[in-house]
Amino acid sequence: MDEDIQTGTIIVKNISYDLSNLSPEERHRLRHEAMHEKHKGHEAMHAEMVFILLISLIVSQIFLVVWKSKHFKSFQLVTMIGMWIIPQIISFKLGNVRFIIIWFIFSAITGMIATKASQSPIKNSTPRLFYKWFLLVHKVTYILGIAGYVCLMLTFFGINFLFFISPTAALDLSVIVMFYGVYYGVLSRDIAEICSDLMAAKIGVDFNKFFYLKFKKIKSITQKLAFLNDLWKQIRVRFAQIL
């Protein structure tokens, strides 16, 4: 490109210049003036773009805050689905095999547990399995997030040079580890909240149906008291299994 400019002509302020007859300093000055003339008036357009971007960010933030405060359940569900699906689509387009494999493993296990949590009646083993899986994910993602952040700070202080690791590789590793910790930590938290609410509702419905159908048939006060005592024992057993 420089060779073409040095031997060609350039037009500045409607005046043609033969660059082959000019000194390097004059060619540089003319190229600089031509660039400014070409982009003349773009400052206003750039200012409008920045203004539109700021307004869009403010309006969208207000919309999200209002949506979250007025309809939290739908906000949580929609954001969780978006967080679950959109990164996977981007990974498919970019060919990020590592993220795709981890995402499929996480989705398969979480989907199986979420399916068990949505069943009615809920099996006795489901709450314990649910608790163990999401507790494990919480611990792993917490460790990954802290480890990624610590590695990032150590890279900024140049500790990576002690281990003969380049700054680029250290930064890439730190950001990737911290991303996996934050991403799967937030995603699993939202899924756990939705599934736990669903399980709590189903457990309540099961006990209400059981209480209503049995209690309705009992006539004697003594039998009703015995039934309530029986029901309390079953509730304690159920929650002991959950915990």
Side-chain angles (χ1 to χ4, degrees), residues 106 134 137-138 141 183-193:
F106 173 82
F134 283 104
V137 173
H138 170 73
T141 54
Y183 173 73
Y184 286 106
V186 174
L187 182 60
S188 63
R189 181 203 62 188
D190 290 346
I191 297 173
E193 287 181 1

Side-chain angles (χ1 to χ4, degrees), residues 163-211:
F163 302 96
F164 305 100
I165 301 174
S166 66
T168 304
L171 283 174
D172 289 345
L173 177 63
S174 304
V175 171
I176 289 173
V177 171
M178 189 164 58
F179 167 77
Y180 277 102
V182 173
Y183 173 73
Y184 286 106
V186 174
L187 182 60
S188 63
R189 181 203 62 188
D190 290 346
I191 297 173
E193 287 181 1
I194 294 173
C195 291
S196 60
D197 290 344
L198 186 62
M199 282 197 304
K202 287 186 176 297
I203 291 173
V205 168
D206 292 342
F207 274 113
N208 288 337
K209 286 181 179 178
F210 175 79
F211 177 83

Side-chain angles (χ1 to χ4, degrees), residues 125-168:
S125 60
T126 299
R128 187 181 296 273
L129 178 65
F130 175 88
Y131 175 77
K132 285 183 177 180
W133 168 245
F134 283 104
L135 179 62
L136 174 64
V137 173
H138 170 73
K139 289 181 178 179
V140 172
T141 54
Y142 185 81
I143 292 172
L144 288 177
I146 295 297
Y149 178 76
V150 170
C151 290
L152 190 65
M153 291 296 103
L154 292 177
T155 303
F156 286 151
F157 287 109
I159 306 299
N160 55 290
F161 291 109
L162 298 177
F163 302 96
F164 305 100
I165 301 174
S166 66
T168 304

Side-chain angles (χ1 to χ4, degrees), residues 73-140:
K73 294 295 183 183
S74 62
F75 171 83
Q76 187 181 43
L77 181 62
V78 172
T79 52
M80 183 205 67
I81 293 174
M83 197 186 314
W84 201 343
I85 301 300
I86 293 175
Q88 181 67 0
I89 296 174
I90 297 174
S91 298
F92 268 116
K93 289 185 177 181
L94 299 178
N96 192 340
V97 180
R98 179 182 57 244
F99 183 85
I100 293 172
I101 293 174
I102 297 175
W103 185 89
F104 269 113
I105 295 172
F106 173 82
S107 299
I109 300 174
T110 305
M112 179 192 70
I113 295 175
T115 303
K116 288 180 176 291
S118 63
Q119 292 176 348
S120 185
I122 296 176
K123 295 181 180 179
N124 293 337
S125 60
T126 299
R128 187 181 296 273
L129 178 65
F130 175 88
Y131 175 77
K132 285 183 177 180
W133 168 245
F134 283 104
L135 179 62
L136 174 64
V137 173
H138 170 73
K139 289 181 178 179
V140 172

